[in-house]
Short mmCIF file of all heavy atoms in Angstrom, two decimals:
data_model
loop_
_atom_site.label_atom_id
_atom_site.label_comp_id
_atom_site.label_asym_id
_atom_site.label_seq_id
_atom_site.Cartn_x
_atom_site.Cartn_y
_atom_site.Cartn_z
N THR A 1083 47.29 137.12 113.93
CA THR A 1083 48.14 138.20 114.42
C THR A 1083 49.59 137.74 114.52
O THR A 1083 50.50 138.55 114.41
CB THR A 1083 47.66 138.75 115.78
OG1 THR A 1083 47.48 137.66 116.69
CG2 THR A 1083 46.37 139.51 115.64
N GLU A 1084 49.81 136.43 114.67
CA GLU A 1084 51.18 135.91 114.69
C GLU A 1084 51.83 136.02 113.30
O GLU A 1084 53.05 135.93 113.18
CB GLU A 1084 51.21 134.44 115.16
CG GLU A 1084 50.90 134.26 116.64
CD GLU A 1084 49.41 134.40 116.95
OE1 GLU A 1084 48.55 134.11 116.08
OE2 GLU A 1084 49.09 134.83 118.08
N GLU A 1085 51.03 136.19 112.27
CA GLU A 1085 51.55 136.31 110.90
C GLU A 1085 51.62 137.76 110.42
O GLU A 1085 51.76 138.01 109.23
CB GLU A 1085 50.66 135.50 109.94
CG GLU A 1085 50.69 134.02 110.19
CD GLU A 1085 49.68 133.28 109.34
OE1 GLU A 1085 48.47 133.55 109.48
OE2 GLU A 1085 50.12 132.42 108.54
N VAL A 1086 51.53 138.69 111.35
CA VAL A 1086 51.51 140.10 110.95
C VAL A 1086 52.79 140.48 110.20
O VAL A 1086 52.75 141.28 109.26
CB VAL A 1086 51.23 141.04 112.15
CG1 VAL A 1086 52.43 141.13 113.08
CG2 VAL A 1086 50.81 142.41 111.66
N HIS A 1087 53.91 139.89 110.57
CA HIS A 1087 55.17 140.20 109.88
C HIS A 1087 55.09 139.78 108.40
O HIS A 1087 55.51 140.51 107.51
CB HIS A 1087 56.36 139.53 110.58
CG HIS A 1087 57.68 139.92 110.01
ND1 HIS A 1087 58.20 141.19 110.16
CD2 HIS A 1087 58.57 139.23 109.27
CE1 HIS A 1087 59.37 141.25 109.53
NE2 HIS A 1087 59.61 140.08 108.99
N THR A 1088 54.52 138.61 108.15
CA THR A 1088 54.33 138.14 106.77
C THR A 1088 53.42 139.08 106.01
O THR A 1088 53.70 139.44 104.86
CB THR A 1088 53.73 136.71 106.77
OG1 THR A 1088 54.62 135.84 107.47
CG2 THR A 1088 53.50 136.21 105.35
N LEU A 1089 52.32 139.51 106.64
CA LEU A 1089 51.40 140.44 106.02
C LEU A 1089 52.10 141.76 105.71
O LEU A 1089 51.96 142.30 104.61
CB LEU A 1089 50.18 140.68 106.92
CG LEU A 1089 49.15 141.70 106.41
CD1 LEU A 1089 48.57 141.29 105.06
CD2 LEU A 1089 48.05 141.88 107.44
N CYS A 1090 52.87 142.28 106.66
CA CYS A 1090 53.59 143.55 106.46
C CYS A 1090 54.53 143.47 105.26
O CYS A 1090 54.52 144.34 104.38
CB CYS A 1090 54.40 143.93 107.69
SG CYS A 1090 53.45 144.37 109.14
N GLU A 1091 55.32 142.42 105.22
CA GLU A 1091 56.30 142.26 104.13
C GLU A 1091 55.62 142.07 102.79
O GLU A 1091 55.99 142.70 101.80
CB GLU A 1091 57.23 141.07 104.41
CG GLU A 1091 58.31 141.37 105.41
CD GLU A 1091 59.30 140.22 105.54
OE1 GLU A 1091 59.25 139.26 104.72
OE2 GLU A 1091 60.11 140.27 106.46
N PHE A 1092 54.63 141.18 102.75
CA PHE A 1092 53.95 140.88 101.50
C PHE A 1092 53.20 142.10 100.98
O PHE A 1092 53.31 142.47 99.80
CB PHE A 1092 52.99 139.70 101.71
CG PHE A 1092 52.39 139.16 100.46
CD1 PHE A 1092 53.17 138.47 99.54
CD2 PHE A 1092 51.04 139.31 100.19
CE1 PHE A 1092 52.62 137.95 98.37
CE2 PHE A 1092 50.48 138.79 99.04
CZ PHE A 1092 51.27 138.11 98.13
N ALA A 1093 52.45 142.77 101.86
CA ALA A 1093 51.68 143.95 101.45
C ALA A 1093 52.60 145.07 100.98
O ALA A 1093 52.33 145.72 99.96
CB ALA A 1093 50.81 144.43 102.61
N SER A 1094 53.69 145.30 101.69
CA SER A 1094 54.64 146.35 101.31
C SER A 1094 55.27 146.06 99.95
O SER A 1094 55.39 146.95 99.10
CB SER A 1094 55.75 146.49 102.35
OG SER A 1094 55.24 146.98 103.56
N GLU A 1095 55.68 144.82 99.75
CA GLU A 1095 56.33 144.43 98.49
C GLU A 1095 55.39 144.63 97.30
O GLU A 1095 55.77 145.20 96.27
CB GLU A 1095 56.77 142.98 98.58
CG GLU A 1095 57.49 142.47 97.35
CD GLU A 1095 57.91 141.01 97.52
OE1 GLU A 1095 58.52 140.68 98.55
OE2 GLU A 1095 57.60 140.21 96.61
N ILE A 1096 54.16 144.17 97.43
CA ILE A 1096 53.20 144.29 96.33
C ILE A 1096 52.85 145.75 96.08
O ILE A 1096 52.77 146.20 94.93
CB ILE A 1096 51.93 143.46 96.60
CG1 ILE A 1096 52.25 141.98 96.54
CG2 ILE A 1096 50.83 143.80 95.60
CD1 ILE A 1096 51.09 141.09 96.88
N TYR A 1097 52.65 146.51 97.14
CA TYR A 1097 52.31 147.92 96.98
C TYR A 1097 53.44 148.66 96.27
O TYR A 1097 53.21 149.44 95.35
CB TYR A 1097 52.00 148.55 98.35
CG TYR A 1097 51.31 149.89 98.22
CD1 TYR A 1097 49.93 149.97 98.20
CD2 TYR A 1097 52.04 151.06 98.09
CE1 TYR A 1097 49.29 151.18 98.06
CE2 TYR A 1097 51.41 152.28 97.96
CZ TYR A 1097 50.03 152.34 97.94
OH TYR A 1097 49.40 153.54 97.80
N TYR A 1098 54.66 148.39 96.69
CA TYR A 1098 55.83 149.03 96.08
C TYR A 1098 55.89 148.69 94.59
O TYR A 1098 56.04 149.59 93.75
CB TYR A 1098 57.10 148.56 96.79
CG TYR A 1098 58.36 149.23 96.30
CD1 TYR A 1098 58.80 150.42 96.88
CD2 TYR A 1098 59.09 148.70 95.24
CE1 TYR A 1098 59.95 151.05 96.42
CE2 TYR A 1098 60.24 149.32 94.78
CZ TYR A 1098 60.66 150.51 95.37
OH TYR A 1098 61.79 151.13 94.90
N GLU A 1099 55.78 147.41 94.25
CA GLU A 1099 55.83 147.00 92.84
C GLU A 1099 54.74 147.68 92.02
O GLU A 1099 54.96 148.05 90.87
CB GLU A 1099 55.62 145.48 92.71
CG GLU A 1099 56.77 144.64 93.18
CD GLU A 1099 56.43 143.15 93.15
OE1 GLU A 1099 55.25 142.77 92.94
OE2 GLU A 1099 57.36 142.35 93.35
N THR A 1100 53.57 147.83 92.61
CA THR A 1100 52.43 148.38 91.89
C THR A 1100 52.55 149.88 91.65
O THR A 1100 52.18 150.36 90.58
CB THR A 1100 51.13 148.09 92.68
OG1 THR A 1100 51.02 146.68 92.88
CG2 THR A 1100 49.90 148.59 91.93
N PHE A 1101 53.10 150.62 92.61
CA PHE A 1101 53.01 152.08 92.55
C PHE A 1101 54.32 152.84 92.47
O PHE A 1101 54.31 154.06 92.36
CB PHE A 1101 52.19 152.60 93.74
CG PHE A 1101 50.78 152.11 93.73
CD1 PHE A 1101 50.34 151.19 94.66
CD2 PHE A 1101 49.88 152.55 92.77
CE1 PHE A 1101 49.03 150.72 94.64
CE2 PHE A 1101 48.57 152.09 92.74
CZ PHE A 1101 48.15 151.18 93.69
N ILE A 1102 55.47 152.17 92.48
CA ILE A 1102 56.74 152.91 92.48
C ILE A 1102 56.91 153.72 91.20
O ILE A 1102 57.48 154.81 91.23
CB ILE A 1102 57.96 151.99 92.73
CG1 ILE A 1102 59.23 152.82 92.93
CG2 ILE A 1102 58.13 150.99 91.61
CD1 ILE A 1102 59.18 153.84 94.05
N ASP A 1103 56.41 153.24 90.07
CA ASP A 1103 56.61 153.96 88.82
C ASP A 1103 55.98 155.35 88.82
O ASP A 1103 56.43 156.22 88.11
CB ASP A 1103 56.07 153.15 87.64
CG ASP A 1103 56.96 151.96 87.31
OD1 ASP A 1103 58.12 151.93 87.77
OD2 ASP A 1103 56.48 151.05 86.60
N GLY A 1104 54.94 155.56 89.60
CA GLY A 1104 54.29 156.86 89.61
C GLY A 1104 54.60 157.71 90.82
O GLY A 1104 53.98 158.75 91.03
N ASN A 1105 55.57 157.28 91.64
CA ASN A 1105 55.84 157.98 92.90
C ASN A 1105 57.33 158.00 93.20
O ASN A 1105 58.07 157.13 92.74
CB ASN A 1105 55.10 157.28 94.04
CG ASN A 1105 53.61 157.35 93.90
OD1 ASN A 1105 53.01 158.38 94.15
ND2 ASN A 1105 52.99 156.27 93.44
N SER A 1106 57.75 158.98 93.98
CA SER A 1106 59.17 159.05 94.35
C SER A 1106 59.49 157.99 95.40
O SER A 1106 58.62 157.55 96.15
CB SER A 1106 59.50 160.44 94.90
OG SER A 1106 58.96 160.60 96.20
N GLU A 1107 60.74 157.61 95.45
CA GLU A 1107 61.21 156.61 96.42
C GLU A 1107 60.94 157.10 97.85
O GLU A 1107 60.49 156.32 98.70
CB GLU A 1107 62.70 156.36 96.21
CG GLU A 1107 63.27 155.26 97.08
CD GLU A 1107 62.81 153.86 96.70
OE1 GLU A 1107 62.67 153.57 95.51
OE2 GLU A 1107 62.61 153.05 97.63
N ARG A 1108 61.19 158.36 98.14
CA ARG A 1108 60.99 158.92 99.48
C ARG A 1108 59.52 158.85 99.89
O ARG A 1108 59.18 158.38 100.99
CB ARG A 1108 61.48 160.37 99.54
CG ARG A 1108 61.25 161.03 100.90
CD ARG A 1108 61.50 162.54 100.88
NE ARG A 1108 60.68 163.26 99.91
CZ ARG A 1108 59.40 163.58 100.09
NH1 ARG A 1108 58.77 163.24 101.19
NH2 ARG A 1108 58.74 164.25 99.17
N VAL A 1109 58.63 159.29 99.01
CA VAL A 1109 57.20 159.28 99.31
C VAL A 1109 56.72 157.84 99.50
O VAL A 1109 55.97 157.53 100.43
CB VAL A 1109 56.40 160.00 98.20
CG1 VAL A 1109 54.91 159.72 98.31
CG2 VAL A 1109 56.66 161.50 98.27
#
């Protein structure tokens, strides 16, 4: 749980890279 910030950043970055091409920036 002390690494939740690392998890948040890493998960967000990978998700964004994976799905931004098919979705709007706002969504």
Side-chain angles (χ1 to χ4, degrees):
T1083 52
E1084 290 76 28
E1085 295 173 299
V1086 73
H1087 186 70
T1088 301
L1089 177 60
C1090 292
E1091 282 186 10
F1092 189 70
S1094 293
E1095 181 180 310
I1096 291 177
Y1097 194 91
Y1098 184 90
E1099 288 174 350
T1100 303
F1101 297 110
I1102 189 57
D1103 287 344
N1105 296 284
S1106 74
E1107 185 71 37
R1108 178 191 57 79
V1109 166

